[in-house]
Amino acid sequence: MAIKYPNPSMNNSIKQDNHFKSQGMIFEHSLNVSNEYYRSRNVALIYKKPTPVQIVKVDYPKRSSAKIVEAYYQTPSTTDYNGIYKGKYLDYEAKETIKSFFPFKHIFPHQVEHLEKVQKLGGIAFVIIYFRTFNSVIIINIEDFSNLYHNGDRKSISYEKALEIGKEAKLSYSPPINYLSAVDELFKL
Amino acid sequence: MAIKYPNPSMNNSIKQDNHFKSQGMIFEHSLNVSNEYYRSRNVALIYKKPTPVQIVKVDYPKRSSAKIVEAYYQTPSTTDYNGIYKGKYLDYEAKETIKSFFPFKHIFPHQVEHLEKVQKLGGIAFVIIYFRTFNSVIIINIEDFSNLYHNGDRKSISYEKALEIGKEAKLSYSPPINYLSAVDELFKL
């Protein structure tokens, strides 16, 4: 697998904008905290998968701890998050945009394909997008996402279109992103 | 989280036995190949989670590639493998022993707890153990595993006991470990 940044949108960005990175971390962190909330209430068991790292060289400075001294980020084979909710398998990719639309190039084609396969096998599969400008989190069923994605006419989904075909998740204090309520509505669970 | 080897059984082993490591890799590799086989036939989507790594320092020798120069293995929060099978969420931990029994210390308590939670939420949860001496792979429903694990009288499961309460998976050429047939029988799917 190619050695790249885990996020395709970062591969062509020369500048490492720390502000952007830390902002991106906030969305991910909010999702993780929401998943902790769901786990603590036995509502769902959903975890973020670790970023895959190709380990090239390991030192053993002490016998008890291995120190990795050369490694590279790998392209994830699947999506960011998966787990169990209402007895079902649930799988999603989390994305963020500062624009008024979500560019398709920000998601790997094999991730879309993975979500389509999950859906075909009877799982709950979606993309969750944080439109930062609107402070709005929207989940889109992979079926609807794929229709636009494979259409070919457009290279992005506008915020208006996302609102129309998806469901907006409530943002609150606890959980920060109550996206499972939106999942209930969107997938009629 | 503590910085340790990803496998608890390795934490106290001073000697890095390459033979043992490569043998262990064969079981993991066989599981991965079996999962590829299931995926290619649209039977199940099951992946091994990447080993979590705590990244401390990253260099940017070229603008296009990030090189991790200091990182440590982390203790995994959950289990090795999860995915979707027959519309259900499936989750398991893969272990190997060269002994005629499986020592409980080779699995993290929080991994047993995780599998118990999966089972309570309606998922398929088990431990899959390769008894290398017998060239035998056995899957044990987490419910049965937990009964012995929490019993306290024993610190291991003998191969005979594993055979009695679990199901042996057929080993063949393709898939190398046909464990989903054993899952069908054990969980009456």
Side-chain angles (χ1 to χ4, degrees), chain A residues 120-140:
Chain A
K120 274 179 198 129
L121 287 175
I124 303 165
F126 56 90
V127 178
I128 182 165
I129 304 168
Y130 177 41
F131 289 88
R132 208 199 304 168
T133 316
F134 306 103
N135 194 34
S136 172
V137 173
I138 299 178
I139 61 164
I140 305 175

Side-chain angles (χ1 to χ4, degrees), chain B residues 37-143:
Chain B
Y37 172 93
Y38 293 134
R39 284 202 297 274
S40 69
R41 279 153 185 80
N42 297 315
V43 169
L45 273 182
I46 299 160
Y47 283 91
K48 184 178 191 297
K49 289 186 198 171
T51 302
V53 162
Q54 186 193 22
I55 291 161
V56 176
K57 197 167 170 243
V58 181
D59 273 359
Y60 300 93
K62 287 181 217 164
R63 278 158 189 270
S64 58
S65 69
K67 182 181 174 185
I68 299 159
V69 292
E70 188 182 352
Y72 300 92
Y73 291 111
Q74 282 182 306
T75 304
S77 330
T78 59
T79 46
D80 282 343
Y81 293 87
N82 75 352
I84 180 169
Y85 176 53
K86 295 196 172 175
K88 281 175 179 279
Y89 176 81
L90 179 144
D91 198 308
Y92 62 90
E93 181 65 18
K95 289 294 169 195
E96 171 164 355
T97 178
I98 51 164
K99 302 203 173 78
S100 61
F101 53 87
F102 174 76
F104 287 139
K105 68 177 179 189
H106 284 201
I107 191 166
F108 285 115
H110 73 266
Q111 291 180 320
V112 176
E113 206 184 304
H114 171 76
L115 289 169
E116 288 168 350
K117 282 183 187 170
V118 168
Q119 190 245 324
K120 274 180 198 127
L121 287 176
I124 301 167
F126 57 90
V127 178
I128 183 165
I129 306 170
Y130 177 41
F131 290 88
R132 208 200 305 167
T133 316
F134 306 103
N135 193 34
S136 174
V137 173
I138 299 176
I139 62 163
I140 304 174
N141 188 329
I142 191 61
E143 249 187 305

Side-chain angles (χ1 to χ4, degrees), chain A residues 5 14 42 45 47 50 52 55 60 63 66-73 78 82-84 87 89 117-118 121 123, chain B residues 5 14 42 45 47 50 52 55 60 63 66-73 78 82-84 87 89 114 117-118 121 123:
Chain A
Y5 285 104
I14 287 163
N42 298 313
L45 272 183
Y47 284 92
I55 292 160
Y60 300 93
R63 280 160 187 270
K67 184 182 174 184
I68 299 159
V69 293
E70 188 182 351
Y72 300 92
Y73 291 112
T78 60
N82 75 353
I84 179 169
Y89 176 81
K117 283 184 186 171
V118 167
L121 287 175
Chain B
Y5 285 103
I14 287 165
N42 297 315
L45 273 182
Y47 283 91
I55 291 161
Y60 300 93
R63 278 158 189 270
K67 182 181 174 185
I68 299 159
V69 292
E70 188 182 352
Y72 300 92
Y73 291 111
T78 59
N82 75 352
I84 180 169
Y89 176 81
H114 171 76
K117 282 183 187 170
V118 168
L121 287 176

